Amino acid sequence: MERREEQPGAAGAGAAPALDFTVENVEKALHQLYYDPNIENKNLAQKWLMQAQVSPQAWHFSWQLLQPDKVPEIQYFGASALHIKISRYWSDIPTDQYESLKAQLFTQITRFASGSKIVLTRLCVALASLALSMMPDAWPCAVADMVRLFQAEDSPVDGQGRCLALLELLTVLPEEFQTSRLPQYRKGLVRTSLAVECGAVFPLLEQLLQQPSSPSCVRQKVLKCFSSWVQLEVPLQDCEALIQAAFAALQDSELFDSSVEAIVNAISQPDAQRYVNTLLKLIPLVLGLQEQLRQAVQNGDMETSHGICRIAVALGENHSRALLDQVEHWQSFLALVNMIMFCTGIPGHYPVNETTSSLTLTFWYTLQDDILSFEAEKQAVYQQVYRPVYFQLVDVLLHKAQFPSDEEYGFWSSDEKEQFRIYRVDISDTLMYVYEMLGAELLSNLYDKLGRLLTSSEEPYSWQHTEALLYGFQSIAETIDVNYSDVVPGLIGLIPRISISNVQLADTVMFTIGALSEWLADHPVMINSVLPLVLHALGNPELSVSSVSTLKKICRECKYDLPPYAANIVAVSQDVLMKQIHKTSQCMWLMQALGFLLSALQVEEILKNLHSLISPYIQQLEKLAEEIPNPSNKLAIVHILGLLSNLFTTLDISHHEDDHEGPELRKLPVPQGPNPVVVVLQQVFQLIQKVLSKWLNDAQVVEAVCAIFEKSVKTLLDDFAPMVPQLCEMLGRMYSTIPQASALDLTRQLVHIFAHEPAHFPPIEALFLLVTSVTLTLFQQGPRDHPDIVDSFMQLLAQALKRKPDLFLCERLDVKAVFQCAVLALKFPEAPTVKASCGFFTELLPRCGEVESVGKVVQEDGRMLLIAVLEHCFSLLSMWIKEALQPPGFPSARLSPEQKDTFSQQILRERVNKRRVKEMVKEFTLLCRGLHGTDYTADY
């Protein structure tokens, strides 16, 4: 195999000249890769070496790089190159060279058995790849041969070295199979062959594992090898002896990790549930680890407790249904469940003192699902057994969710705090899920505990305990309808009694109130019990997220019951906004809350509150509009515009005809005169135009201005009508000066809501034609730098066709140019732009009949669209051409299947060469007409 220069190297095409890939050059490049301090040189070397590995010369230099006088880094590259050639370019190797290649690899593996381990592994991977490519026909007993060859006594390598090399080879074989590029049909054959061959592997592994004389390194390797093989879905009953040996090996600290991995892999294979008798035998083995688990927990040995927990959870989570089905063994499975409960409640705070409890949470979901999936009679029996278990689980989870002491928590890193936060979210999700099993009794249980805790005079309660119980309540109330619960009134009554001395507790109190906002809407008399707490918390920056989100929920759900409290809510909100207590996003939420609140007031009250709320910002904006643009006043402008748009997003004084919000949504008319939002917008319109005049070239400011109107339009719908003419005029001026996507998006909203109304059609038509004209000019200048504008333009065109096709009837609209721009947009690399363009064509093509200009353009230029679509789908194009030409006699009875096949191959190969494609189509046309080779050809 050393003289293989004649080997074809398909991937060598386009690489450096073949002569460059010499042993000397490869060694130089490797030296550069490992030792050159210049990163560019390293990258160049790596690129060159990757080309070398796939070149035909790799067959030659690989073996030379494995020579004993080379350093391990060089030998490793040689072994890797061999693996790449075998795994990726197997078809290049003549069948008569399989045996010599196999023999050489065996020789090298034997030599490296006492050499570099990383090189040995790569050589084993190369031989594994060769075996997979030859199995089952060319090498029917590959695994048995490997075992026999390495057990031969005449080898120069000592027994232990040979044994470790064989185990390495056997370990990488299934791993290489999992990642191999074998065709699907070959994969099935090889998998079957390997399943048979495990008969040559498992007895050897059992012997080595149970042999007292086997050194620790060999037993370690055996466990890893077993772990690798079980992932081939070996029948669980065939693994019994090795699994038992692995359980015994758990007592050896050096073998512990490998044993855990092997056991978990064996138990977790999908097929294992078929072997119920074997699974039942495993339960006592797992339960037998409880003393080792307790000792590990007592000694703070997190690795051991984590490993044992993984085993218990693997058995319980993967096979709970199969084991629950064995009703006569219910007590042993319950013992396993209780062992997992111990793991859930393992002492210490996650993730600082323990990392085990989080592994168990999914098990409780699985067990509950399996119990609730049984027929009624069996389910009732298991409910009786497991309801107490799940109540215990709730206590355990709430204990685990408790915060540590303030002092201890202060020492936690930000990463540990974040992990703990995510862990609590997982606990919250589990509690919410458990509610399905335990129902209303769970809420009563939590309420009783909280009541006892807050009213007990015997001992002072810890804030952590109170917080955890509230957190449990909040977890359930956030997603479950608790409106009919008889304990919520009591809970609302208890909340003001909580002595809030801590930010975490205060946060949870806020979130709990927020979770109960729908209940408060049905029981408005209780609002006054909790609203003062929320308003007080608004002034604390540490409670920013919880207090503002809770106020927003209350204002959204209870707005019709809030007018008596409105003045106070507005006053407190104004105060915290002026003091700039909250970050930008919370300020926006607060404005949304106020929008909900004001929506329920009388129009004059709304206007009065709007005046006091907005006036300070309008004054600030007037001042900023006079200043020369700079980064700091830009931030202030965007912030004020954002506050206004968030307020107008939710300030909605009309009542919907129904609860279904959709594109055709219409509202009942408001009898009280002009909409307050429109009144305010008209008052500030000139100011907004003034701000725009100075900031037109800044996308963020333009976007913020457009957002005010877009959100107002979406909320007000028809009520926005008085603003349409002046807004259309402003948008036209904006877009003509500097085109921006946000202006197109706002235009689309106006088209969507007002284009069908005769009174508003003229200004909207004028705006539509103007932005279309400006955008077409942009396309002529080169639109590639503006994919966002192209995307929004395509969406606008689609909306126009959908809502008001008459917009395409205007003579001033260049439909042909619009069509060509949309075809160009199809070729953009940005997926959203392509999607928007497809949306436009979806609306356009069905209207060929009803809109004359559209029909004419599609007839003239439709071919452009077809070509653009085919360019997108080259892989499908090759299939489509073959399918189109397949029917006999199509496109001509004069063509043979071979001629059609040749034509399709030529077209696909030369598709980027317009001249050649034209010639080939011409030639094919002549063949179809029977004129090829005649005098007519010369004139064609």
Side-chain angles (χ1 to χ4, degrees):
M1 285 297 295
E2 289 189 9
R3 295 183 299 280
R4 293 194 57 112
E5 294 89 328
E6 74 280 1
Q7 271 303 323
L19 292 175
D20 286 351
F21 299 130
T22 61
V23 175
E24 294 75 20
N25 285 345
V26 169
E27 289 194 41
K28 280 179 193 169
L30 284 166
H31 189 275
Q32 194 170 318
L33 178 67
Y34 287 119
Y35 303 112
D36 195 316
N38 185 314
I39 194 71
E40 281 187 30
N41 290 345
K42 280 180 181 289
N43 290 340
L44 281 171
Q46 186 171 25
K47 194 175 176 184
W48 188 89
L49 286 164
M50 285 168 75
Q51 290 176 325
Q53 277 187 317
V54 299
S55 70
Q57 288 69 36
W59 287 117
H60 179 65
F61 66 64
S62 296
W63 303 108
Q64 290 185 302
L65 295 176
L66 288 167
Q67 294 301 321
D69 59 331
K70 308 292 184 192
V71 294
E73 293 91 336
I74 288 173
Q75 294 171 330
Y76 179 83
F77 182 81
S80 293
L82 281 172
H83 172 239
I84 286 169
K85 294 300 287 183
I86 293 167
S87 60
R88 294 192 199 170
Y89 305 110
W90 178 252
S91 58
D92 292 353
I93 307 170
T95 51
D96 62 357
Q97 296 199 22
Y98 289 176
E99 289 304 319
S100 62
L101 179 55
K102 185 205 302 184
Q104 278 184 287
L105 283 168
F106 269 123
T107 303
Q108 292 291 349
I109 289 170
T110 306
R111 192 160 63 74
F112 277 93
S114 52
S116 168
K117 292 290 169 272
I118 59 164
V119 181
L120 173 66
T121 300
R122 290 320 290 166
L123 287 168
C124 287
V125 171
L127 181 56
S129 184
L130 178 122
L132 295 173
S133 297
M134 291 175 70
M135 291 168 75
D137 300 329
W139 194 1
C141 302
V143 180
D145 285 354
M146 290 173 189
V147 173
R148 183 176 47 75
L149 278 162
F150 278 96
Q151 285 181 325
E153 294 295 331
D154 58 350
S155 170
V157 184
D158 66 274
Q160 185 175 314
R162 275 184 289 127
C163 183
L164 288 169
L166 172 60
L167 289 170
E168 183 64 28
L169 178 56
L170 294 176
T171 303
V172 300
L173 186 62
E175 292 169 359
E176 181 66 7
F177 172 76
Q178 304 286 12
T179 59
S180 67
R181 302 181 179 200
L182 294 172
Q184 207 53 46
Y185 79 97
R186 286 270 306 132
K187 263 208 153 165
L189 286 172
V190 175
R191 182 187 288 278
T192 306
S193 186
L194 286 170
V196 173
E197 294 259 33
C198 81
V201 179
F202 281 18
L204 171 69
L205 300 184
E206 287 168 31
Q207 181 191 344
L208 290 170
L209 203 52
Q210 291 163 354
Q211 213 166 272
S213 60
S214 290
S216 185
C217 60
V218 169
R219 298 170 79 198
Q220 180 101 273
K221 219 52 205 138
V222 167
L223 288 163
K224 285 183 178 171
C225 185
F226 173 49
S227 189
S228 179
W229 275 81
V230 291
Q231 292 179 66
L232 292 174
E233 295 175 25
V234 179
L236 191 65
Q237 62 191 22
D238 296 351
C239 305
E240 257 187 60
L242 278 167
I243 293 174
Q244 288 181 354
F247 268 99
L250 287 168
Q251 304 305 317
D252 185 332
S253 58
E254 286 184 30
L255 303 178
F256 183 83
D257 290 344
S258 303
S259 301
V260 168
E261 213 57 49
I263 294 166
V264 168
N265 283 344
I267 292 173
S268 304
Q269 52 176 313
D271 199 40
Q273 61 194 14
R274 289 172 48 208
Y275 304 96
V276 178
N277 289 335
T278 305
L279 292 173
L280 289 170
K281 289 178 194 173
L282 294 178
I283 294 180
L285 292 175
V286 176
L287 295 176
L289 301 172
Q290 288 180 98
E291 186 51 40
Q292 191 178 355
L293 174 61
R294 286 196 185 88
Q295 286 293 323
V297 170
Q298 205 173 322
N299 300 332
D301 180 355
M302 285 167 68
E303 284 76 15
T304 300
S305 55
H306 195 83
I308 293 174
C309 174
R310 279 186 66 201
I311 292 171
V313 169
L315 184 57
E317 195 176 304
N318 288 293
H319 306 297
S320 66
R321 175 71 199 219
L323 293 168
L324 283 167
D325 271 329
Q326 310 306 306
V327 181
E328 66 277 18
H329 295 280
W330 71 271
Q331 285 172 307
S332 65
F333 184 62
L334 180 60
L336 177 67
V337 171
N338 285 325
M339 182 178 174
I340 295 172
M341 180 76 79
F342 176 81
C343 295
T344 305
I346 209 158
H349 287 288
Y350 182 96
V352 176
N353 315 113
E354 63 91 6
T355 55
T356 297
S357 56
S358 63
L359 299 177
T360 65
L361 297 180
T362 314
F363 164 75
W364 299 108
Y365 285 75
T366 307
L367 177 62
Q368 179 177 312
D369 284 347
D370 288 337
I371 290 170
L372 297 180
S373 71
F374 284 122
E375 72 282 1
E377 193 179 335
K378 200 170 184 180
Q379 189 184 130
V381 172
Y382 274 130
Q383 284 260 19
Q384 203 175 345
V385 174
Y386 282 100
R387 273 178 72 84
V389 173
Y390 272 85
F391 274 114
Q392 184 192 348
L393 173 66
V394 171
D395 291 343
V396 167
L397 290 175
L398 291 178
H399 181 73
K400 293 297 293 181
Q402 285 186 26
F403 279 88
S405 68
D406 293 339
E407 185 184 3
E408 190 183 338
Y409 193 63
F411 286 111
W412 283 20
S413 68
S414 57
D415 185 48
E416 286 166 340
K417 288 177 180 176
E418 177 59 11
Q419 283 186 58
F420 183 58
R421 185 193 68 78
I422 295 167
Y423 175 67
R424 278 170 51 98
V425 170
D426 291 341
I427 286 177
S428 172
D429 291 344
T430 310
L431 289 169
M432 180 262 294
Y433 205 76
V434 165
Y435 182 84
E436 190 186 349
M437 180 92 152
L438 301 180
E441 198 182 336
L442 172 55
L443 293 177
S444 305
N445 184 288
L446 293 174
Y447 172 67
D448 291 345
K449 285 190 169 77
L450 188 64
R452 282 199 301 273
L453 194 68
L454 295 176
T455 55
S456 169
S457 55
E458 292 174 19
E459 53 182 85
Y461 60 85
S462 74
W463 71 262
Q464 286 93 339
H465 198 171
T466 308
E467 190 278 334
L469 285 166
L470 268 181
Y471 185 68
F473 221 109
Q474 174 213 324
S475 302
I476 295 159
E478 267 180 344
T479 46
I480 306 292
D481 182 4
V482 295
N483 282 12
Y484 304 103
S485 169
D486 55 358
V487 302
V488 177
L491 176 68
I492 295 280
L494 283 176
I495 284 175
R497 301 185 59 161
I498 296 170
S499 171
I500 300 176
S501 56
N502 172 280
V503 170
Q504 283 89 11
L505 176 57
D507 256 339
T508 303
V509 168
M510 285 301 111
F511 285 127
T512 304
I513 295 169
L516 295 171
S517 56
E518 285 185 41
W519 185 90
L520 287 168
D522 289 342
H523 306 81
V525 71
M526 303 299 284
I527 291 172
N528 199 35
S529 302
V530 291
L531 188 58
L533 287 173
V534 179
L535 295 179
H536 178 71
L538 274 183
N540 185 344
E542 289 186 293
L543 303 177
S544 181
V545 173
S546 61
S547 62
V548 174
S549 68
T550 296
L551 181 64
K552 183 181 164 184
K553 283 181 180 177
I554 291 173
C555 289
R556 184 181 65 214
E557 301 299 335
C558 313
K559 63 182 175 185
Y560 298 112
D561 301 298
L562 291 180
Y565 314 104
N568 193 18
I569 294 172
V570 171
V572 172
S573 300
Q574 268 187 288
D575 184 52
V576 298
L577 284 166
M578 285 296 115
K579 288 178 179 170
Q580 298 182 339
I581 284 172
H582 302 290
K583 290 180 180 174
T584 301
S585 54
Q586 277 71 56
C587 292
M588 302 306 158
W589 292 357
L590 192 50
M591 278 301 203
Q592 287 179 24
L594 294 171
F596 286 125
L597 174 74
L598 297 181
S599 300
L601 303 182
Q602 295 299 312
V603 170
E604 57 272 19
E605 280 295 305
I606 296 174
L607 287 168
K608 192 173 80 176
N609 278 292
L610 278 176
H611 180 73
S612 67
L613 188 61
I614 291 174
S615 290
Y617 294 111
I618 300 304
Q619 289 164 15
Q620 198 182 343
L621 197 59
E622 284 170 343
K623 186 165 166 280
L624 290 164
E626 299 295 336
E627 294 176 9
I628 297 165
N630 67 63
S632 64
N633 60 24
K634 171 188 162 175
L635 281 175
I637 288 170
V638 170
H639 181 74
I640 292 169
L641 295 173
L643 291 174
L644 294 176
S645 64
N646 276 279
L647 178 64
F648 298 155
T649 300
T650 54
L651 209 173
D652 183 6
I653 62 171
S654 55
H655 302 285
H656 297 161
E657 288 177 26
D658 55 43
D659 293 328
H660 303 292
E661 295 196 14
E664 305 303 324
L665 184 67
R666 281 290 171 269
K667 300 174 177 182
L668 298 174
V670 181
Q672 303 141 303
N675 192 293
V677 173
V678 173
V679 173
V680 172
L681 283 174
Q682 286 176 328
Q683 286 171 357
V684 299
F685 198 80
Q686 295 299 323
L687 175 58
I688 288 174
Q689 283 189 307
K690 190 175 181 181
V691 170
L692 261 183
S693 66
K694 287 195 175 180
W695 290 92
L696 252 183
N697 62 345
D698 189 288
Q700 257 186 299
V701 175
V702 172
E703 205 171 304
V705 167
C706 290
I708 290 180
F709 294 104
E710 190 176 355
K711 288 179 178 178
S712 303
V713 169
K714 278 182 178 174
T715 308
L716 301 180
L717 301 175
D718 292 338
D719 291 351
F720 190 84
M723 296 289 302
V724 171
Q726 60 199 115
L727 182 56
C728 285
E729 191 184 332
M730 186 185 88
L731 273 173
R733 283 203 305 274
M734 273 168 57
Y735 197 75
S736 300
T737 313
I738 295 176
Q740 305 229 10
S742 49
L744 289 173
D745 294 335
L746 180 50
T747 304
R748 186 175 87 246
Q749 283 298 328
L750 292 173
V751 167
H752 175 56
I753 294 164
F754 296 108
H756 68 288
E757 294 183 12
H760 300 303
F761 184 72
I764 285 177
E765 183 188 41
L767 174 61
F768 177 74
L769 292 171
L770 178 63
V771 297
T772 301
S773 171
V774 171
T775 311
L776 292 177
T777 306
L778 188 74
F779 265 90
Q780 287 168 2
Q781 295 163 355
R784 268 308 296 120
D785 296 334
H786 308 284
D788 55 335
I789 291 177
V790 176
D791 182 348
S792 295
F793 182 53
M794 290 298 126
Q795 289 186 55
L796 168 61
L797 295 171
Q799 187 68 266
L801 283 163
K802 197 174 187 177
R803 296 293 285 174
K804 193 69 174 171
D806 290 7
L807 288 165
F808 273 69
L809 293 174
C810 179
E811 289 179 3
R812 284 182 291 151
L813 182 70
D814 189 344
V815 179
K816 190 180 184 76
V818 166
F819 184 92
Q820 289 169 348
C821 289
V823 170
L824 192 60
L826 264 182
K827 300 178 183 181
F828 271 48
E830 291 83 6
T833 309
V834 175
K835 187 178 177 183
S837 179
C838 291
F840 163 67
F841 283 117
T842 304
E843 295 296 336
L844 181 91
L845 295 174
R847 288 181 170 76
C848 288
E850 64 184 91
V851 182
E852 187 186 344
S853 57
V854 169
K856 187 180 175 191
V857 167
V858 172
Q859 191 174 358
E860 291 172 2
D861 295 340
R863 190 173 44 186
M864 287 170 59
L865 173 60
L866 182 62
I867 290 166
V869 171
L870 292 177
E871 281 176 5
H872 263 281
C873 313
F874 174 66
S875 57
L876 292 173
L877 174 61
S878 57
M879 185 172 75
W880 290 338
I881 287 180
K882 283 174 184 165
E883 284 179 4
L885 294 174
Q886 208 170 21
F890 178 84
S892 165
R894 295 184 175 90
L895 294 174
S896 68
E898 290 76 22
Q899 285 171 318
K900 291 196 232 180
D901 196 42
T902 303
F903 171 68
S904 63
Q905 286 177 12
Q906 286 175 331
I907 285 287
L908 294 169
R909 190 169 57 245
E910 302 286 354
R911 67 189 185 281
V912 294
N913 187 331
K914 194 182 285 186
R915 183 184 57 78
R916 283 286 295 126
V917 169
K918 195 174 175 184
E919 286 173 4
M920 285 185 289
V921 172
K922 176 181 164 184
E923 194 173 326
F924 189 65
T925 308
L926 292 169
L927 279 170
C928 292
R929 297 170 65 189
L931 298 172
H932 192 266
T934 66
D935 293 340
Y936 183 80
T937 310
D939 304 319
Y940 188 71

